[in-house]
């Protein structure tokens, strides 16, 4: 009994030691500048505990909070998280409402902390279709955090990669019709400048939790050369240790962007 108690008391310290060891493995000079995350597995996390899906989403907020905090500490400049897709409207109205209410709650409760940490909130997606209370909370958080530049937090909400590209194509077509853009000027750079992530670097690292291996309509244009890191861990269980593991794995990859890499004549 006493041994059990002692082991339990020691547990968090051991866990911290693991996190510290991972942190030491990270080369601060080669951090991913932009990390993107598909926060998946909230529903399954809840089901395994006999809880409603909303409990999984609620627990997922804590993982998001911890992830934002660690990104700030490490010096990651852009974090994009997939909070609600253009396809998520197909879910029962009750779950959609829960997610919208959680968004408002997260923004209201976290705003002082985001501000303190120097986080600038940048929502991406078709924001005009969100319910008014969600739009208002987003607009307030955007205004309050507008001058921050330590971490840009792209909150993808009512976001879909195909929808984003379609909206960009429409705006380009409009600008061509109105003489602001010439057809010959349309290149990859110009298209990128019409996306919701205009002016930002493409994600270097994309993390997906819960063991799924799909893009699910996330950052389709931007992730052309993004490194993927997949984990079976459900999002509500995603802790600092997992983000650190992802970064360590990322730093072991050789990125070639379709070329042959540094000092190489043969592809390996
Ligand atoms: C996918 O898991 C997750 C979502 C659709 C919502 C993500 C939301 C959060 C992490 C909460 C934080 C959100 C806000 C708005 C700040 P799933 O429900 O599809 O899980 P499942 O695949 O196990 O069913």
């Amino acid at each position: 009994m006493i041994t059990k108690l002692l082991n339990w008391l020691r547990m968090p310290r051991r866990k911290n030691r693991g996190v510290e060891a991972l942190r030491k493995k990270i080369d601060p000079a080669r951090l991913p500048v932009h990390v993107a995350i598909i926060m998946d597995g909230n529903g399954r996390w809840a089901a395994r505990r006999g809880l409603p899906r909303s409990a999984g989403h609620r627990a997922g907020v804590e993982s998001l909070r911890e992830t934002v905090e660690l990104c700030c500490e490490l010096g990651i400049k852009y974090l994009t998280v997939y909070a609600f897709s253009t396809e998520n409207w197909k879910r029962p109205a009750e779950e959609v409402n829960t997610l919208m209410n959680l968004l408002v709650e997260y923004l209201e409760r976290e705003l002082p902390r985001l501000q303190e940490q120097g986080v600038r909130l940048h929502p991406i997606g078709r924001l005009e279709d969100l319910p008014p209370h969600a739009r208002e909370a987003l607009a307030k958080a955007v205004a309050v955090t507008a001058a921050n530049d330590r971490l840009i937090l792209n909150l993808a909400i009512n976001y879909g990669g195909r929808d984003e590209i379609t909206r960009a194509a429409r705006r380009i077509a409009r600008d061509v019709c109105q003489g602001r853009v010439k057809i010959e000027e349309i290149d990859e750079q110009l298209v990128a400048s019409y996306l919701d992530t205009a002016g930002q670097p493409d994600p270097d690292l994309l993390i997906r939790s819960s063991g799924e291996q799909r893009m699910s309509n996330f950052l389709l244009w931007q992730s052309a050369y993004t490194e993927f890191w997949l984990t079976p861990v459900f999002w509500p269980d995603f802790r600092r240790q997992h983000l650190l593991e992802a970064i360590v794995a990322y730093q072991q990859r050789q990125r070639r962007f379709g070329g042959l890499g540094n000092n190489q004549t043969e592809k390996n």
Side-chain angles (χ1 to χ4, degrees), residues 99-262:
L99 282 165
M100 293 301 154
N101 292 340
L102 259 187
L103 167 72
V104 173
E105 207 181 291
Y106 169 78
L107 292 172
E108 280 173 1
R109 216 180 38 197
E110 282 303 295
L111 196 50
R113 182 92 185 106
L114 294 175
Q115 186 63 354
E116 201 182 299
Q117 288 171 319
V119 177
R120 173 144 71 91
L121 186 84
H122 182 249
I124 62 171
R126 193 191 277 264
L127 305 180
E128 63 272 24
D129 291 346
L130 293 172
H133 70 309
R135 285 205 312 267
E136 280 157 27
L138 283 166
K140 182 181 170 198
V142 167
V144 170
T145 63
N148 298 338
D149 62 359
R150 187 170 175 203
L151 172 74
I152 312 301
L153 174 60
N154 290 323
L155 194 64
I157 188 111
N158 194 21
Y159 174 88
R162 288 183 174 180
D163 179 68
E164 179 188 34
I165 295 168
T166 308
R167 285 186 282 113
R170 280 196 189 162
R171 284 173 47 228
I172 295 170
R174 197 173 307 131
D175 283 352
V176 168
C177 289
Q178 293 175 353
R180 282 196 289 264
V181 169
K182 294 195 189 76
I183 286 191
E184 315 75 65
E185 286 172 346
I186 302 176
D187 57 12
E188 291 185 8
Q189 223 178 325
L190 183 127
V191 174
S193 75
Y194 279 76
L195 298 177
D196 296 347
T197 51
Q200 302 186 8
D202 287 339
D204 300 293
L205 170 63
L206 188 148
I207 296 170
R208 182 167 189 153
S209 59
S210 90
E212 303 296 344
Q213 305 183 17
R214 290 186 291 279
M215 287 301 292
S216 298
N217 205 6
F218 190 43
L219 301 176
L220 295 182
W221 174 281
Q222 298 89 335
S223 56
Y225 277 99
T226 299
E227 296 292 329
F228 286 8
W229 190 81
L230 308 170
T231 174
V233 166
F234 293 141
W235 178 249
D237 287 330
F238 192 93
R239 299 271 75 90
R240 293 175 150 242
Q241 166 207 339
H242 303 109
L243 178 57
L244 292 168
E245 281 171 12
I247 297 173
V248 169
Y250 164 83
Q251 292 193 332
Q252 285 162 359
R253 309 251 179 107
Q254 196 205 3
R255 301 184 75 191
R256 292 196 294 259
F257 297 96
L260 295 181
N262 289 341

Side-chain angles (χ1 to χ4, degrees), residues 38-47 53 56-64 81-85 88 91 95 98-107 155-157 208-210 212 214 234-236:
I38 302 178
M39 309 182 287
D40 196 12
N42 297 348
R44 278 164 285 167
W45 181 93
R53 293 178 59 82
H57 295 313
R58 195 164 280 283
V61 174
E62 184 51 42
S63 306
L64 174 60
V81 290
Y82 209 3
F84 191 89
S85 77
N88 286 153
R91 295 188 178 203
E95 182 169 348
T98 297
L99 282 165
M100 293 301 154
N101 292 340
L102 259 187
L103 167 72
V104 173
E105 207 181 291
Y106 169 78
L107 292 172
L155 194 64
I157 188 111
R208 182 167 189 153
S209 59
S210 90
E212 303 296 344
R214 290 186 291 279
F234 293 141
W235 178 249

